[in-house]
Amino acid sequence: MTTPKDFSACVAQYDPNALPVEAAQEIVRQWAMPRPSDAQAERASLHDALGRVLAEDVVSPIDVPAFDNSAMDGYAFAGAALARGVDSIDLSVAGTAFAGRPFEATPGAAECVRIMTGALMPAGCDTVIPQELVTREGDTIRFPAAKIRAGQNRRLSGEDLAKGRPALLAGRIVRASDLGLLASLGIGYVAVRKRLVVAFFSTGDELRSVGEALSPGSVYDSNRYTLFAMLRRLGVETIDLGIVRDDRASLEKALREATGRADVVISSGGVSVGDADFTRELMSSLGDVAFWKIAMRPGRPLAFGRLWSGARPGAGKPALFFGLPGNPVAVMATFYFIVREALLAMSGAARQPLTAIRASAAGPMKKRAGRTEFQRGIATRDADGRWSVVTTGSQGSGVLSSMSEANCFIVLEHARGDIDAGDDVEIVPFDGLI
Ligand code: AMP
Ligand code: MG
């Protein structure tokens, strides 16, 4: 188990005034340990398991398929008939095998069985000739031997999943195909990790909640809504602690309450250079917190560390803490590229790297070397299936509409300078961001 001292040591290797994104991600990765598994498992029915993290491997209790069956509508026969070296095979139809209604007898060497997809292979039969390859006259079929090889069009028992083998691994986030797969094994309940609990709040005297009137100089709090949505999509349990005023007592109360109730605490606002000194001092006094200027845009100021709910650091209950910047786009960019992976790791999920695709820049883009930029882009596919991307225009970190307009982040790497039209850039599509 890492101690607060380790945190300082770990962070001290880096320049907090120009921390590359990769370094911040690495530090966060070291700190986001999954909670111990056995203490954290609960049973969920299939419907409730959707989107949850499996706490244990799911071992297949049966072979799937459970019996050899036909992959086609056609005629089942013994493939040995093909070894006789004749050009054309003639067989007489001994009966029919339907899915769920087997043909009970054993056909003879010169016989075949009309068979439907999914039906049990009749005894002695190992091959299915698809119906469109045969000519049938009365109860006899004929087909060219060259059209088929012995063993074709038969699904073998245990071919999908063998009994006793893991079908899904611990750490998997259960998706649609997994629910179907579990059902195909006859499994109705699985052990899933308890949901990670994340408390969040916004800071700022200028913030008003939806439903309140705006006075001069005030703005509506949008960060609590984007955070709520992003957290929900990750499958964590959320505690919304509202708006916290820019004063020491309110902030201390909110941080302590959040730390006492949650595994992770996320705040927005109050971490930039211009903010009252008490914010930094207070956050530090409740635990071990590093203030970073990450070399990224948007999202430069960020606080990260561990807070304690007790009277002094090390007392009470700890929680991981992310103090995100206040600007609405910066909140989203830092969430996806700094916070997301930590929450998944703490939830016990296997690593799920974001999907990145190469695209061609449709026009020039301004980019400053020495920081990673996450510009908002609109990507389209041309007729040849290649992706090209344009920016949404104004890249101000307060312009939240740029996120609604965009369908991807354009990730411009640390060392890169201006981008010319036609250059390759990396995009991370919004669809599939979990
Ligand atoms: P700060 O990081 O507290 O200096 O805030 C930076 C900018 O983001 C300011 O323009 C704030 O008004 C704005 N801001 C901070 N928090 C929020 C919020 N919860 N919703 C919308 N805008 C915010
Ligand atoms: Mg503020």
Side-chain angles (χ1 to χ4, degrees), residues 312-345:
R312 56 187 164 74
K317 187 194 136 306
L320 212 62
F321 169 64
F322 293 92
L324 305 186
N327 273 310
V329 184
V331 165
M332 297 194 77
T334 48
F335 184 89
Y336 284 126
F337 291 94
I338 307 285
V339 182
R340 171 189 172 276
E341 188 181 313
L343 299 186
L344 287 172

PDB file of all heavy atoms in Angstrom, residues 312-345:
ATOM      1  N   ARG A 312      -6.655  15.099  10.637  1.00  0.00           N
ATOM      2  CA  ARG A 312      -5.340  15.374  10.033  1.00  0.00           C
ATOM      3  C   ARG A 312      -5.099  14.318   8.957  1.00  0.00           C
ATOM      4  O   ARG A 312      -5.725  13.255   8.972  1.00  0.00           O
ATOM      5  CB  ARG A 312      -4.243  15.328  11.098  1.00  0.00           C
ATOM      6  CG  ARG A 312      -4.247  14.042  11.822  1.00  0.00           C
ATOM      7  CD  ARG A 312      -3.321  13.931  13.003  1.00  0.00           C
ATOM      8  NE  ARG A 312      -3.752  12.780  13.784  1.00  0.00           N
ATOM      9  CZ  ARG A 312      -3.555  11.521  13.440  1.00  0.00           C
ATOM     10  NH1 ARG A 312      -2.906  11.215  12.347  1.00  0.00           N
ATOM     11  NH2 ARG A 312      -4.015  10.527  14.179  1.00  0.00           N
ATOM     12  N   PRO A 313      -4.164  14.610   8.041  1.00  0.00           N
ATOM     13  CA  PRO A 313      -3.853  13.630   6.997  1.00  0.00           C
ATOM     14  C   PRO A 313      -3.462  12.300   7.616  1.00  0.00           C
ATOM     15  O   PRO A 313      -2.703  12.273   8.584  1.00  0.00           O
ATOM     16  CB  PRO A 313      -2.676  14.271   6.247  1.00  0.00           C
ATOM     17  CG  PRO A 313      -2.833  15.735   6.481  1.00  0.00           C
ATOM     18  CD  PRO A 313      -3.419  15.879   7.855  1.00  0.00           C
ATOM     19  N   GLY A 314      -3.996  11.216   7.098  1.00  0.00           N
ATOM     20  CA  GLY A 314      -3.711   9.898   7.668  1.00  0.00           C
ATOM     21  C   GLY A 314      -4.804   9.447   8.613  1.00  0.00           C
ATOM     22  O   GLY A 314      -4.877   8.277   8.975  1.00  0.00           O
ATOM     23  N   ALA A 315      -5.707  10.352   9.019  1.00  0.00           N
ATOM     24  CA  ALA A 315      -6.789   9.991   9.943  1.00  0.00           C
ATOM     25  C   ALA A 315      -8.107   9.923   9.188  1.00  0.00           C
ATOM     26  O   ALA A 315      -8.354  10.708   8.277  1.00  0.00           O
ATOM     27  CB  ALA A 315      -6.887  11.028  11.054  1.00  0.00           C
ATOM     28  N   GLY A 316      -8.951   8.973   9.625  1.00  0.00           N
ATOM     29  CA  GLY A 316     -10.264   8.831   8.971  1.00  0.00           C
ATOM     30  C   GLY A 316     -10.127   8.041   7.690  1.00  0.00           C
ATOM     31  O   GLY A 316      -9.287   7.151   7.573  1.00  0.00           O
ATOM     32  N   LYS A 317     -10.913   8.411   6.721  1.00  0.00           N
ATOM     33  CA  LYS A 317     -10.993   7.639   5.479  1.00  0.00           C
ATOM     34  C   LYS A 317     -10.369   8.435   4.329  1.00  0.00           C
ATOM     35  O   LYS A 317     -10.608   9.628   4.208  1.00  0.00           O
ATOM     36  CB  LYS A 317     -12.496   7.419   5.219  1.00  0.00           C
ATOM     37  CG  LYS A 317     -12.824   6.510   4.090  1.00  0.00           C
ATOM     38  CD  LYS A 317     -14.286   6.660   3.745  1.00  0.00           C
ATOM     39  CE  LYS A 317     -14.488   6.725   2.263  1.00  0.00           C
ATOM     40  NZ  LYS A 317     -13.719   7.717   1.552  1.00  0.00           N
ATOM     41  N   PRO A 318      -9.580   7.755   3.489  1.00  0.00           N
ATOM     42  CA  PRO A 318      -8.976   8.491   2.365  1.00  0.00           C
ATOM     43  C   PRO A 318      -9.866   8.481   1.121  1.00  0.00           C
ATOM     44  O   PRO A 318     -10.733   7.624   0.977  1.00  0.00           O
ATOM     45  CB  PRO A 318      -7.704   7.695   2.087  1.00  0.00           C
ATOM     46  CG  PRO A 318      -8.064   6.287   2.451  1.00  0.00           C
ATOM     47  CD  PRO A 318      -9.102   6.359   3.551  1.00  0.00           C
ATOM     48  N   ALA A 319      -9.660   9.429   0.252  1.00  0.00           N
ATOM     49  CA  ALA A 319     -10.294   9.417  -1.070  1.00  0.00           C
ATOM     50  C   ALA A 319      -9.315  10.050  -2.045  1.00  0.00           C
ATOM     51  O   ALA A 319      -8.564  10.964  -1.684  1.00  0.00           O
ATOM     52  CB  ALA A 319     -11.608  10.190  -1.062  1.00  0.00           C
ATOM     53  N   LEU A 320      -9.340   9.547  -3.272  1.00  0.00           N
ATOM     54  CA  LEU A 320      -8.519  10.173  -4.307  1.00  0.00           C
ATOM     55  C   LEU A 320      -9.193  11.474  -4.715  1.00  0.00           C
ATOM     56  O   LEU A 320     -10.431  11.553  -4.735  1.00  0.00           O
ATOM     57  CB  LEU A 320      -8.435   9.219  -5.506  1.00  0.00           C
ATOM     58  CG  LEU A 320      -7.134   9.257  -6.303  1.00  0.00           C
ATOM     59  CD1 LEU A 320      -5.951   8.855  -5.432  1.00  0.00           C
ATOM     60  CD2 LEU A 320      -7.219   8.309  -7.506  1.00  0.00           C
ATOM     61  N   PHE A 321      -8.400  12.473  -5.020  1.00  0.00           N
ATOM     62  CA  PHE A 321      -8.972  13.793  -5.278  1.00  0.00           C
ATOM     63  C   PHE A 321      -8.486  14.365  -6.613  1.00  0.00           C
ATOM     64  O   PHE A 321      -7.282  14.344  -6.906  1.00  0.00           O
ATOM     65  CB  PHE A 321      -8.584  14.741  -4.135  1.00  0.00           C
ATOM     66  CG  PHE A 321      -8.890  16.182  -4.403  1.00  0.00           C
ATOM     67  CD1 PHE A 321     -10.198  16.616  -4.561  1.00  0.00           C
ATOM     68  CD2 PHE A 321      -7.866  17.121  -4.507  1.00  0.00           C
ATOM     69  CE1 PHE A 321     -10.483  17.950  -4.830  1.00  0.00           C
ATOM     70  CE2 PHE A 321      -8.135  18.458  -4.764  1.00  0.00           C
ATOM     71  CZ  PHE A 321      -9.458  18.872  -4.919  1.00  0.00           C
ATOM     72  N   PHE A 322      -9.430  14.840  -7.410  1.00  0.00           N
ATOM     73  CA  PHE A 322      -9.095  15.572  -8.636  1.00  0.00           C
ATOM     74  C   PHE A 322      -9.714  16.959  -8.539  1.00  0.00           C
ATOM     75  O   PHE A 322     -10.943  17.081  -8.465  1.00  0.00           O
ATOM     76  CB  PHE A 322      -9.677  14.884  -9.877  1.00  0.00           C
ATOM     77  CG  PHE A 322      -9.054  13.553 -10.181  1.00  0.00           C
ATOM     78  CD1 PHE A 322      -9.615  12.388  -9.669  1.00  0.00           C
ATOM     79  CD2 PHE A 322      -7.928  13.453 -10.978  1.00  0.00           C
ATOM     80  CE1 PHE A 322      -9.051  11.148  -9.949  1.00  0.00           C
ATOM     81  CE2 PHE A 322      -7.348  12.223 -11.264  1.00  0.00           C
ATOM     82  CZ  PHE A 322      -7.918  11.068 -10.748  1.00  0.00           C
ATOM     83  N   GLY A 323      -8.882  17.987  -8.515  1.00  0.00           N
ATOM     84  CA  GLY A 323      -9.382  19.362  -8.557  1.00  0.00           C
ATOM     85  C   GLY A 323      -9.254  19.838  -9.998  1.00  0.00           C
ATOM     86  O   GLY A 323      -8.169  20.222 -10.435  1.00  0.00           O
ATOM     87  N   LEU A 324     -10.350  19.772 -10.742  1.00  0.00           N
ATOM     88  CA  LEU A 324     -10.302  20.110 -12.167  1.00  0.00           C
ATOM     89  C   LEU A 324     -10.412  21.617 -12.339  1.00  0.00           C
ATOM     90  O   LEU A 324     -10.923  22.320 -11.467  1.00  0.00           O
ATOM     91  CB  LEU A 324     -11.450  19.415 -12.916  1.00  0.00           C
ATOM     92  CG  LEU A 324     -11.547  17.893 -12.754  1.00  0.00           C
ATOM     93  CD1 LEU A 324     -12.642  17.335 -13.668  1.00  0.00           C
ATOM     94  CD2 LEU A 324     -10.217  17.226 -13.073  1.00  0.00           C
ATOM     95  N   PRO A 325      -9.959  22.119 -13.484  1.00  0.00           N
ATOM     96  CA  PRO A 325     -10.120  23.546 -13.746  1.00  0.00           C
ATOM     97  C   PRO A 325     -11.602  23.894 -13.882  1.00  0.00           C
ATOM     98  O   PRO A 325     -12.448  23.006 -13.976  1.00  0.00           O
ATOM     99  CB  PRO A 325      -9.395  23.758 -15.076  1.00  0.00           C
ATOM    100  CG  PRO A 325      -9.096  22.417 -15.630  1.00  0.00           C
ATOM    101  CD  PRO A 325      -9.292  21.402 -14.566  1.00  0.00           C
ATOM    102  N   GLY A 326     -11.927  25.183 -13.875  1.00  0.00           N
ATOM    103  CA  GLY A 326     -13.338  25.578 -13.908  1.00  0.00           C
ATOM    104  C   GLY A 326     -13.919  25.648 -15.302  1.00  0.00           C
ATOM    105  O   GLY A 326     -15.124  25.433 -15.493  1.00  0.00           O
ATOM    106  N   ASN A 327     -13.091  25.939 -16.290  1.00  0.00           N
ATOM    107  CA  ASN A 327     -13.627  26.112 -17.631  1.00  0.00           C
ATOM    108  C   ASN A 327     -14.306  24.836 -18.125  1.00  0.00           C
ATOM    109  O   ASN A 327     -13.732  23.750 -18.036  1.00  0.00           O
ATOM    110  CB  ASN A 327     -12.506  26.506 -18.596  1.00  0.00           C
ATOM    111  CG  ASN A 327     -12.315  28.009 -18.615  1.00  0.00           C
ATOM    112  OD1 ASN A 327     -13.281  28.746 -18.777  1.00  0.00           O
ATOM    113  ND2 ASN A 327     -11.079  28.451 -18.431  1.00  0.00           N
ATOM    114  N   PRO A 328     -15.526  24.986 -18.638  1.00  0.00           N
ATOM    115  CA  PRO A 328     -16.331  23.804 -18.979  1.00  0.00           C
ATOM    116  C   PRO A 328     -15.683  22.821 -19.961  1.00  0.00           C
ATOM    117  O   PRO A 328     -15.820  21.611 -19.787  1.00  0.00           O
ATOM    118  CB  PRO A 328     -17.600  24.409 -19.580  1.00  0.00           C
ATOM    119  CG  PRO A 328     -17.729  25.726 -18.866  1.00  0.00           C
ATOM    120  CD  PRO A 328     -16.322  26.222 -18.701  1.00  0.00           C
ATOM    121  N   VAL A 329     -14.975  23.293 -20.973  1.00  0.00           N
ATOM    122  CA  VAL A 329     -14.359  22.340 -21.905  1.00  0.00           C
ATOM    123  C   VAL A 329     -13.151  21.681 -21.253  1.00  0.00           C
ATOM    124  O   VAL A 329     -12.866  20.497 -21.456  1.00  0.00           O
ATOM    125  CB  VAL A 329     -13.949  23.020 -23.227  1.00  0.00           C
ATOM    126  CG1 VAL A 329     -13.414  21.992 -24.204  1.00  0.00           C
ATOM    127  CG2 VAL A 329     -15.129  23.765 -23.831  1.00  0.00           C
ATOM    128  N   ALA A 330     -12.446  22.445 -20.420  1.00  0.00           N
ATOM    129  CA  ALA A 330     -11.281  21.895 -19.717  1.00  0.00           C
ATOM    130  C   ALA A 330     -11.726  20.764 -18.784  1.00  0.00           C
ATOM    131  O   ALA A 330     -11.029  19.756 -18.633  1.00  0.00           O
ATOM    132  CB  ALA A 330     -10.587  22.997 -18.929  1.00  0.00           C
ATOM    133  N   VAL A 331     -12.902  20.911 -18.182  1.00  0.00           N
ATOM    134  CA  VAL A 331     -13.425  19.852 -17.303  1.00  0.00           C
ATOM    135  C   VAL A 331     -13.589  18.567 -18.102  1.00  0.00           C
ATOM    136  O   VAL A 331     -13.184  17.489 -17.669  1.00  0.00           O
ATOM    137  CB  VAL A 331     -14.782  20.280 -16.683  1.00  0.00           C
ATOM    138  CG1 VAL A 331     -15.512  19.092 -16.084  1.00  0.00           C
ATOM    139  CG2 VAL A 331     -14.543  21.338 -15.622  1.00  0.00           C
ATOM    140  N   MET A 332     -14.150  18.695 -19.300  1.00  0.00           N
ATOM    141  CA  MET A 332     -14.392  17.485 -20.096  1.00  0.00           C
ATOM    142  C   MET A 332     -13.076  16.877 -20.591  1.00  0.00           C
ATOM    143  O   MET A 332     -12.891  15.658 -20.548  1.00  0.00           O
ATOM    144  CB  MET A 332     -15.323  17.792 -21.260  1.00  0.00           C
ATOM    145  CG  MET A 332     -16.704  18.240 -20.780  1.00  0.00           C
ATOM    146  SD  MET A 332     -17.952  18.229 -22.089  1.00  0.00           S
ATOM    147  CE  MET A 332     -18.305  16.473 -22.215  1.00  0.00           C
ATOM    148  N   ALA A 333     -12.171  17.717 -21.055  1.00  0.00           N
ATOM    149  CA  ALA A 333     -10.901  17.179 -21.581  1.00  0.00           C
ATOM    150  C   ALA A 333     -10.098  16.510 -20.466  1.00  0.00           C
ATOM    151  O   ALA A 333      -9.577  15.409 -20.646  1.00  0.00           O
ATOM    152  CB  ALA A 333     -10.088  18.283 -22.242  1.00  0.00           C
ATOM    153  N   THR A 334     -10.017  17.155 -19.300  1.00  0.00           N
ATOM    154  CA  THR A 334      -9.239  16.545 -18.215  1.00  0.00           C
ATOM    155  C   THR A 334      -9.950  15.288 -17.704  1.00  0.00           C
ATOM    156  O   THR A 334      -9.306  14.313 -17.338  1.00  0.00           O
ATOM    157  CB  THR A 334      -9.011  17.521 -17.035  1.00  0.00           C
ATOM    158  OG1 THR A 334     -10.260  18.125 -16.695  1.00  0.00           O
ATOM    159  CG2 THR A 334      -7.995  18.589 -17.391  1.00  0.00           C
ATOM    160  N   PHE A 335     -11.272  15.304 -17.720  1.00  0.00           N
ATOM    161  CA  PHE A 335     -11.986  14.101 -17.284  1.00  0.00           C
ATOM    162  C   PHE A 335     -11.615  12.922 -18.178  1.00  0.00           C
ATOM    163  O   PHE A 335     -11.235  11.849 -17.703  1.00  0.00           O
ATOM    164  CB  PHE A 335     -13.502  14.315 -17.303  1.00  0.00           C
ATOM    165  CG  PHE A 335     -14.253  13.120 -16.766  1.00  0.00           C
ATOM    166  CD1 PHE A 335     -14.532  13.014 -15.427  1.00  0.00           C
ATOM    167  CD2 PHE A 335     -14.634  12.085 -17.615  1.00  0.00           C
ATOM    168  CE1 PHE A 335     -15.190  11.891 -14.915  1.00  0.00           C
ATOM    169  CE2 PHE A 335     -15.292  10.966 -17.121  1.00  0.00           C
ATOM    170  CZ  PHE A 335     -15.570  10.876 -15.759  1.00  0.00           C
ATOM    171  N   TYR A 336     -11.744  13.103 -19.490  1.00  0.00           N
ATOM    172  CA  TYR A 336     -11.517  11.971 -20.389  1.00  0.00           C
ATOM    173  C   TYR A 336     -10.054  11.536 -20.434  1.00  0.00           C
ATOM    174  O   TYR A 336      -9.750  10.362 -20.555  1.00  0.00           O
ATOM    175  CB  TYR A 336     -12.005  12.289 -21.802  1.00  0.00           C
ATOM    176  CG  TYR A 336     -13.508  12.224 -21.904  1.00  0.00           C
ATOM    177  CD1 TYR A 336     -14.243  13.291 -22.400  1.00  0.00           C
ATOM    178  CD2 TYR A 336     -14.195  11.084 -21.486  1.00  0.00           C
ATOM    179  CE1 TYR A 336     -15.629  13.226 -22.481  1.00  0.00           C
ATOM    180  CE2 TYR A 336     -15.577  11.013 -21.560  1.00  0.00           C
ATOM    181  CZ  TYR A 336     -16.295  12.089 -22.054  1.00  0.00           C
ATOM    182  OH  TYR A 336     -17.648  12.015 -22.122  1.00  0.00           O
ATOM    183  N   PHE A 337      -9.119  12.507 -20.349  1.00  0.00           N
ATOM    184  CA  PHE A 337      -7.724  12.138 -20.587  1.00  0.00           C
ATOM    185  C   PHE A 337      -6.904  11.987 -19.304  1.00  0.00           C
ATOM    186  O   PHE A 337      -5.803  11.471 -19.354  1.00  0.00           O
ATOM    187  CB  PHE A 337      -7.087  13.128 -21.570  1.00  0.00           C
ATOM    188  CG  PHE A 337      -7.687  12.971 -22.954  1.00  0.00           C
ATOM    189  CD1 PHE A 337      -8.751  13.768 -23.365  1.00  0.00           C
ATOM    190  CD2 PHE A 337      -7.240  11.974 -23.803  1.00  0.00           C
ATOM    191  CE1 PHE A 337      -9.337  13.592 -24.616  1.00  0.00           C
ATOM    192  CE2 PHE A 337      -7.814  11.788 -25.056  1.00  0.00           C
ATOM    193  CZ  PHE A 337      -8.868  12.606 -25.465  1.00  0.00           C
ATOM    194  N   ILE A 338      -7.436  12.418 -18.169  1.00  0.00           N
ATOM    195  CA  ILE A 338      -6.691  12.251 -16.909  1.00  0.00           C
ATOM    196  C   ILE A 338      -7.489  11.412 -15.904  1.00  0.00           C
ATOM    197  O   ILE A 338      -6.961  10.510 -15.263  1.00  0.00           O
ATOM    198  CB  ILE A 338      -6.347  13.626 -16.262  1.00  0.00           C
ATOM    199  CG1 ILE A 338      -5.631  14.551 -17.258  1.00  0.00           C
ATOM    200  CG2 ILE A 338      -5.537  13.439 -14.980  1.00  0.00           C
ATOM    201  CD1 ILE A 338      -4.190  14.233 -17.547  1.00  0.00           C
ATOM    202  N   VAL A 339      -8.785  11.704 -15.765  1.00  0.00           N
ATOM    203  CA  VAL A 339      -9.562  11.094 -14.672  1.00  0.00           C
ATOM    204  C   VAL A 339     -10.132   9.722 -15.044  1.00  0.00           C
ATOM    205  O   VAL A 339     -10.142   8.797 -14.232  1.00  0.00           O
ATOM    206  CB  VAL A 339     -10.745  12.018 -14.275  1.00  0.00           C
ATOM    207  CG1 VAL A 339     -11.539  11.431 -13.111  1.00  0.00           C
ATOM    208  CG2 VAL A 339     -10.252  13.412 -13.916  1.00  0.00           C
ATOM    209  N   ARG A 340     -10.635   9.622 -16.276  1.00  0.00           N
ATOM    210  CA  ARG A 340     -11.386   8.437 -16.711  1.00  0.00           C
ATOM    211  C   ARG A 340     -10.674   7.123 -16.403  1.00  0.00           C
ATOM    212  O   ARG A 340     -11.248   6.195 -15.818  1.00  0.00           O
ATOM    213  CB  ARG A 340     -11.642   8.549 -18.214  1.00  0.00           C
ATOM    214  CG  ARG A 340     -12.209   7.312 -18.861  1.00  0.00           C
ATOM    215  CD  ARG A 340     -12.218   7.465 -20.379  1.00  0.00           C
ATOM    216  NE  ARG A 340     -12.572   6.226 -21.025  1.00  0.00           N
ATOM    217  CZ  ARG A 340     -11.695   5.251 -21.291  1.00  0.00           C
ATOM    218  NH1 ARG A 340     -10.424   5.380 -20.973  1.00  0.00           N
ATOM    219  NH2 ARG A 340     -12.094   4.146 -21.874  1.00  0.00           N
ATOM    220  N   GLU A 341      -9.411   7.052 -16.799  1.00  0.00           N
ATOM    221  CA  GLU A 341      -8.681   5.802 -16.622  1.00  0.00           C
ATOM    222  C   GLU A 341      -8.560   5.431 -15.145  1.00  0.00           C
ATOM    223  O   GLU A 341      -8.650   4.259 -14.770  1.00  0.00           O
ATOM    224  CB  GLU A 341      -7.297   5.934 -17.262  1.00  0.00           C
ATOM    225  CG  GLU A 341      -6.569   4.617 -17.279  1.00  0.00           C
ATOM    226  CD  GLU A 341      -5.174   4.718 -17.875  1.00  0.00           C
ATOM    227  OE1 GLU A 341      -5.035   5.337 -18.945  1.00  0.00           O
ATOM    228  OE2 GLU A 341      -4.254   4.168 -17.259  1.00  0.00           O
ATOM    229  N   ALA A 342      -8.393   6.457 -14.299  1.00  0.00           N
ATOM    230  CA  ALA A 342      -8.275   6.193 -12.859  1.00  0.00           C
ATOM    231  C   ALA A 342      -9.573   5.603 -12.313  1.00  0.00           C
ATOM    232  O   ALA A 342      -9.564   4.663 -11.518  1.00  0.00           O
ATOM    233  CB  ALA A 342      -7.939   7.482 -12.119  1.00  0.00           C
ATOM    234  N   LEU A 343     -10.700   6.161 -12.757  1.00  0.00           N
ATOM    235  CA  LEU A 343     -11.983   5.672 -12.248  1.00  0.00           C
ATOM    236  C   LEU A 343     -12.224   4.231 -12.699  1.00  0.00           C
ATOM    237  O   LEU A 343     -12.710   3.403 -11.926  1.00  0.00           O
ATOM    238  CB  LEU A 343     -13.130   6.572 -12.712  1.00  0.00           C
ATOM    239  CG  LEU A 343     -13.054   8.040 -12.255  1.00  0.00           C
ATOM    240  CD1 LEU A 343     -14.322   8.783 -12.652  1.00  0.00           C
ATOM    241  CD2 LEU A 343     -12.842   8.143 -10.754  1.00  0.00           C
ATOM    242  N   LEU A 344     -11.873   3.936 -13.938  1.00  0.00           N
ATOM    243  CA  LEU A 344     -12.046   2.559 -14.422  1.00  0.00           C
ATOM    244  C   LEU A 344     -11.139   1.611 -13.641  1.00  0.00           C
ATOM    245  O   LEU A 344     -11.570   0.536 -13.220  1.00  0.00           O
ATOM    246  CB  LEU A 344     -11.741   2.475 -15.922  1.00  0.00           C
ATOM    247  CG  LEU A 344     -12.808   3.086 -16.829  1.00  0.00           C
ATOM    248  CD1 LEU A 344     -12.330   3.130 -18.278  1.00  0.00           C
ATOM    249  CD2 LEU A 344     -14.111   2.290 -16.742  1.00  0.00           C
ATOM    250  N   ALA A 345      -9.893   2.018 -13.422  1.00  0.00           N
ATOM    251  CA  ALA A 345      -8.958   1.156 -12.685  1.00  0.00           C
ATOM    252  C   ALA A 345      -9.467   0.915 -11.267  1.00  0.00           C
ATOM    253  O   ALA A 345      -9.477  -0.211 -10.778  1.00  0.00           O
ATOM    254  CB  ALA A 345      -7.570   1.778 -12.655  1.00  0.00           C
TER     255      ALA A 345
END
